């Protein structure tokens, strides 16, 4: 068991604790859900467990195609051991289909399929409501340097390509999502690829995921817009990703018909 140290940081959906090994931390997924910059809040039992599993699966899959991430390993139902990074204060939003703030900001019709993926930068600052910023603001206020931003931009499009394909294979449209990156400690990193790590989480909290056929929402919009059971949506994503095997505290998915159990003959 990895001994949890003192609390380093508490965000809206996660807590970061110190871990025994230098340069590492424990990321704990809470059941808390917030929307519209904390104006709407709830505790949704089991959400943290599902996000821990889904994010572990997605970050490990990305690691297999050469994207370096902060994830070391999942250590229990709600926690993962991660490399401690200094988070770059930018939220990288990648959009494939117009919805959410994009449709409001520029009066783009909801559901418009974008000709090519659109990358937006938001300044990560809750009290300002994570405002949209331009590349020029990033340089002017030194949020990150040109080389780092160019590297991350390429990573964002690679991640989008991979995830779009992965979700398409399980009947889900990746509408948009948000990424965060961090800088690893210098003594752990030799190249840019070792230094700039994909951090935070990728889960239905940070993506918009629509069922390909029905366009039913399977992400945090269920909570934002009161569309029904958030847990059922997240469980559906986990089930399609084939990661709902182990016993969890989350109520099992309700199947409309009992599933047949095949008994192998010897
Ligand atoms: P938006 O349409 O509200 O700007 O959201 C774009 C995407 O970014 C959507 O997938 C949700 C995600 N997102 C976060 O993960 N955290 C946030 O704080 C915000 C505003 C959006
Ligand atoms: N994560 C942000 C909040 O908590 C915005 C959102 O996801 O809607 O308020």
């Amino acid at each position: 068991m990895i001994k949890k140290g003192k609390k380093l940081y508490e965000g809206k959906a996660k807590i970061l604790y110190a871990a025994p090994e230098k340069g590492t931390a424990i990321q704990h997924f809470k059941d808390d859900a917030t929307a519209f910059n904390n104006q709407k809040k709830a505790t949704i039992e089991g959400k943290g467990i599902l996000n821990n599993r889904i994010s572990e699966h997605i970050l490990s899959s990305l690691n297999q195609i050469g994207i370096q991430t902060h994830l070391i390993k999942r250590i229990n139902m709600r926690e993962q051991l991660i490399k401690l990074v200094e988070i770059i204060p930018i939220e990288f939003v990648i959009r494939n289909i117009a919805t959410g703030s994009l449709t409001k900001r520029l009066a783009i019709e909801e559901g418009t399929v974008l000709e090519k993926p659109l990358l937006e930068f938001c300044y990560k600052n809750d009290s300002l409501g994570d405002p949209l910023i331009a590349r020029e603001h990033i340089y002017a206020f030194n949020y990150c340097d040109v080389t780092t931003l160019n590297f991350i931009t390429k990573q964002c499009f690679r991640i989008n390509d991979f995830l779009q394909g992965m979700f398409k294979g399980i009947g889900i449209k990746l509408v948009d999502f948000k990424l965060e990156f961090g800088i690893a400690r210098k003594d752990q990193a030799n190249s840019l690829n070792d230094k700039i790590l994909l951090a935070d989480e990728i889960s239905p909290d940070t993506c918009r995921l629509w069922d390909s056929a029905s366009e039913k929402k399977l992400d945090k919009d269920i909570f934002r817009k009161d569309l029904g059971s958030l847990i059922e949506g997240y469980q559906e994503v986990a089930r399609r990703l084939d990661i709902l095997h182990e016993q969890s505290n989350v109520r099992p998915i309700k199947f409309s018909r009992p599933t047949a159990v095949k008994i192998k003959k010897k």
Side-chain angles (χ1 to χ4, degrees):
M1 208 187 81
I2 299 166
K3 200 167 165 271
K4 209 148 70 184
K6 67 169 191 277
K7 194 193 278 188
L8 301 175
Y9 171 81
E10 178 156 5
K12 287 176 290 203
K14 296 187 294 296
I15 307 173
L16 219 57
Y17 295 97
E21 198 184 325
K22 204 177 155 208
T24 69
I26 292 169
Q27 178 168 259
H28 175 103
F29 288 76
K30 300 192 281 186
D31 281 342
D32 297 351
T34 68
F36 314 115
N37 206 18
N38 234 349
Q39 286 176 50
K40 184 171 178 176
K41 288 186 208 175
T43 302
I44 303 171
E45 197 195 325
K47 179 177 84 79
I49 295 172
L50 284 159
N51 280 351
N52 186 22
R53 291 291 278 118
I54 294 171
S55 191
E56 175 208 13
H57 177 83
I58 294 178
L59 265 58
S60 317
S61 307
L62 286 168
N63 192 250
Q64 283 172 15
I65 61 150
I67 307 280
Q68 302 294 326
T69 82
H70 73 161
L71 178 71
I72 302 171
K73 62 175 180 180
R74 184 170 65 83
I75 48 183
N76 59 44
M77 301 275 274
R78 287 188 181 273
E79 289 166 338
Q80 5 184 283
L81 185 66
I82 58 163
K83 289 180 190 157
L84 197 55
V85 295
E86 191 189 322
I87 292 285
I88 295 168
I90 302 169
E91 298 198 344
F92 297 85
V93 173
I94 300 102
R95 301 178 186 272
N96 298 306
I97 299 175
T99 188
S101 67
L102 176 66
T103 54
K104 291 194 193 89
R105 200 187 316 125
L106 300 175
I108 310 289
E109 197 184 334
E110 168 83 18
T112 306
V113 178
L114 304 176
E115 248 170 61
K116 53 181 190 170
L118 174 67
L119 174 63
E120 293 178 339
F121 309 115
C122 297
Y123 177 45
K124 190 174 152 59
N125 184 315
D126 276 345
S127 54
L128 299 175
D130 300 338
L132 185 74
I133 50 170
R135 207 167 252 272
E136 284 68 19
H137 295 98
I138 298 177
Y139 301 146
F141 305 114
N142 241 330
Y143 298 147
C144 111
D145 63 47
V146 181
T147 321
T148 304
L149 192 59
N150 287 342
F151 175 80
I152 292 178
T153 298
K154 281 197 198 126
Q155 297 283 80
C156 286
F157 289 119
R158 276 196 69 207
I159 293 169
N160 184 46
D161 275 352
F162 176 80
L163 293 185
Q164 253 192 319
M166 186 189 88
F167 280 117
K168 196 174 179 181
I170 54 169
I172 291 175
K173 285 185 196 172
L174 177 61
V175 173
D176 59 28
F177 61 104
K178 183 263 304 175
L179 297 175
E180 292 184 29
F181 291 83
I183 316 275
R185 293 164 52 93
K186 277 204 184 73
D187 54 344
Q188 294 178 336
N190 304 314
S191 66
L192 211 58
N193 203 34
D194 289 336
K195 200 176 150 199
I196 301 159
L197 307 182
L198 174 66
D200 194 53
E201 68 175 294
I202 303 181
S203 72
D205 264 15
T206 62
C207 300
R208 285 201 176 92
L209 303 168
W210 295 354
D211 177 77
S212 301
S214 65
E215 302 214 323
K216 186 177 167 194
K217 291 173 173 59
L218 302 170
D219 58 72
K220 203 166 92 175
D221 270 353
I222 300 172
F223 169 69
R224 290 190 189 99
K225 300 180 171 181
D226 296 317
L227 300 176
S229 161
L230 176 130
I231 288 297
E232 277 175 26
Y234 285 31
Q235 276 183 334
E236 180 61 20
V237 174
R239 188 186 65 76
R240 293 195 200 180
L241 288 170
D242 210 15
I243 53 175
L244 263 196
H245 298 308
E246 68 188 58
Q247 204 205 339
S248 74
N249 292 334
V250 181
R251 264 171 262 119
I253 307 156
K254 284 181 214 121
F255 291 100
S256 46
R257 276 184 291 137
T259 45
V261 181
K262 261 191 190 162
I263 299 166
K264 233 184 180 175
K265 279 187 192 149
K266 277 193 181 160

